[in-house]
Amino acid sequence: MISALNQLVDHIEQHLAEEPDIDGLAGALGTTGYHLRRMFSSLAGMPLSEYVRRRRMTVAAADVVRGEKGLLDIAVRHGYGSGEAFGRAFRAVHGAGPGDVRRDGGPLRTQPRLRFRLTVEGSTPMDTRLVDRPAFRLVGHATRVPLIHEGVNPHIQEHIAALPPEEHLRLKALGDTEPRGLLQVSDDVDPDGREGSELTHLHGVAVRRETPVPDALDAIEVPAGMWAVFRTSGPFPQTLQTAWAATATEWFPSNPWRLRPGPSLVAFLEHADDLTTATCELWLPVEPA
């Protein structure tokens, strides 16, 4: 995976004026565009699309400052069909328009070219198991929420708090398959993992495919496949979020599995009444790399 990410960076650098063919490159590297995007955003700390934009504008800024060509020529050279579109992208990265930068020499915000390296860590073993599951359903109450990387997501809190206590009990009684108990489900997540992008959050349970879905409940169909299950215990949600990040930095680079499209699930095994601490299982859909 480290090699694949570095080849991705090289490919981007050679085709900065074009939209990178992530799926095509991923196929040539023996992986998938979905997995490559998820690993890039987790390890680089930014979406792939944002990195491409920053690098494109870093190189474009050098052309602007040199002043050898007109701004429209520079815009076209870097893949923009109009000076206005180029100006908006340039200002979003540098905080000033290309005309201002040409006159004043700045300000400029440079995005260095990334290079991924493997750091030997793994001093803390990850409590993981692999589960092969037949197709099942996730049923419960769904809503659209923004993605928040750190801390409690208040939109999810508000969604769950709006449900009456008896509804949690009804859902828990409905669950009849693994993963057991009440689940927090994230679906339709942006592969780039951009903070603020919307995802579907479902508060519910897992049921067998043949189990009828009661009226007024939302359902997500989950196909058969393998799952990597990571057990965490400690302050919530910090411990869970740390483990989620470690799957990208430690587990996937050292195991012959990759993410496949599908929902991610968090099952609560035990938790304090105020949910400040919890023992959870993080379920991620995977396939052989």
Side-chain angles (χ1 to χ4, degrees), residues 122-131 227-234 239-240 242-244 246-247 250-251 255 267 269 278-284:
S123 58
T124 303
M126 299 186 74
D127 186 355
T128 313
R129 61 191 174 102
L130 291 164
V131 181
W227 296 77
V229 184
F230 304 88
R231 187 183 179 102
T232 70
S233 185
T239 302
L240 177 64
T242 298
W244 202 311
T247 65
E250 298 181 33
W251 195 82
N255 286 276
L269 307 182
T279 298
C280 305
E281 284 187 341
L282 169 62
W283 289 60
L284 298 180

Side-chain angles (χ1 to χ4, degrees), residues 155-164 168 183-184 201 203 268:
H155 307 278
I156 293 176
Q157 273 192 323
E158 183 179 324
H159 172 61
I160 296 173
L163 299 173
H168 301 288
L183 308 175
Q184 303 301 312
H201 175 83
H203 176 75
F268 290 86

